[in-house]
Amino acid sequence: ELKVEQNPLFLSMQEGKNYTIYCNYSTTSDRLYWYRQDPGKSLESLFVLLSNGAVKQEGRLMASLDTKARLSTLHITAAVHDLSATYFCAVDAGGTSYGKLTFGQGTILTVHP
Amino acid sequence: GAGVSQSPSNKVTEKGKDVELRCDPISGHTALYWYRQSLGQGLEFLIYFQGNSAPDKSGLPSDRFSAERTGGSVSTLTIQRTQQEDSAVYLCASSPTRAQYFGPGTRLTVL
């Protein structure tokens, strides 16, 4: 059974600081997604990572994937208040589980002035 | 263009009643997924449709839960004899290939 674990689950940051959210998964992954969720809202897709060594960046967020270590990271650079949200990683194991996503627990990020 | 829509946005029901939740996917998306988000269990997969067929129903928690999809479009998730533990946000996503686009969800509260 595929398990996906994120850490930390809660992250309180000061504006301007850097931090990394980690996502570990237990079996071979076909692709990995990062989503953002604002309170009371649905999931917004941030990144999809397809292969080992993949790195994608959008604004202050950068995601990477190491399939050998079964690890993805979401790095936040110079945090601003607007980044406050819950961030989820999700793994698509492919094969017979094609498209079915297994989610991490989510990381609640709060950015303070 | 129009995204995934779900209705109702909120549903409050009494324990033991049946509820129907609706999902309208993005036009042309052949795959449709239902997930459930609750405080205790996080985000869980429920069922996957490809066209009108459901090749993966492995996440449905009990036989009180069922879903159908008609015309390769609209899907309905039905929960019979609702229980308090069914309270959650039910999210629908559609996909043209692999990437999934999520709807706003239906918040179900069972009293």
Side-chain angles (χ1 to χ4, degrees):
Chain A
E1 181 189 347
L2 173 60
K3 294 190 186 301
V4 181
E5 293 191 353
Q6 286 180 237
N7 72 85
L9 301 184
F10 299 93
L11 180 52
S12 180
M13 296 177 65
Q14 272 193 306
E15 282 189 331
K17 299 291 188 183
N18 304 333
Y19 211 84
T20 300
I21 300 170
Y22 298 88
C23 174
N24 289 90
Y25 52 96
S26 61
T27 63
T28 302
S29 165
D30 195 53
R31 58 183 60 192
L32 188 141
Y33 297 85
W34 283 96
Y35 288 92
R36 168 181 171 145
Q37 186 176 40
D38 291 293
K41 304 290 186 182
S42 191
L43 296 168
E44 174 191 353
S45 179
L46 295 174
F47 302 108
V48 54
L49 303 167
L50 302 177
S51 60
N52 189 43
V55 177
K56 291 198 173 177
Q57 183 162 6
E58 180 72 34
R60 301 175 187 274
L61 300 177
M62 183 173 71
S64 66
L65 179 63
D66 181 343
T67 57
K68 293 178 183 176
R70 296 179 184 163
L71 171 70
S72 179
T73 61
L74 181 66
H75 186 74
I76 302 153
T77 302
V80 293
H81 179 68
D82 285 353
L83 289 179
S84 297
T86 300
Y87 293 84
F88 291 93
C89 63
V91 173
D92 179 348
T96 57
S97 301
Y98 184 94
K100 168 183 170 182
L101 296 180
T102 301
F103 286 85
Q105 309 97 309
T107 297
I108 300 175
L109 171 65
T110 305
V111 181
H112 299 284
Chain B
V4 178
S5 61
Q6 293 185 245
S7 60
S9 54
N10 280 284
K11 176 72 176 178
V12 179
T13 191
E14 293 179 346
K15 178 181 172 182
K17 300 282 190 185
D18 298 352
V19 295
E20 285 189 350
L21 312 180
R22 176 185 168 111
C23 172
D24 283 273
I26 294 172
S27 179
H29 283 195
T30 56
L32 187 147
Y33 303 81
W34 284 97
Y35 295 87
R36 178 169 74 171
Q37 185 173 24
S38 59
L39 280 176
Q41 301 299 322
L43 269 156
E44 305 171 281
F45 167 83
L46 296 178
I47 187 169
Y48 154 57
F49 287 93
Q50 182 63 41
N52 292 334
S53 301
D56 191 344
K57 307 178 184 179
S58 62
L60 294 178
S62 76
D63 59 9
R64 296 186 296 104
F65 287 72
S66 63
E68 65 174 11
R69 189 179 184 195
T70 56
S73 181
V74 171
S75 177
T76 303
L77 177 68
T78 301
I79 309 173
Q80 295 179 309
R81 304 181 303 281
T82 52
Q83 303 293 313
Q84 287 181 333
E85 61 262 28
D86 300 335
S87 296
V89 176
Y90 290 82
L91 291 166
C92 173
S94 71
S95 172
T97 51
R98 300 286 290 279
Q100 296 181 30
Y101 300 82
F102 283 82
T106 293
R107 180 175 297 278
L108 175 66
T109 304
V110 182
L111 302 177

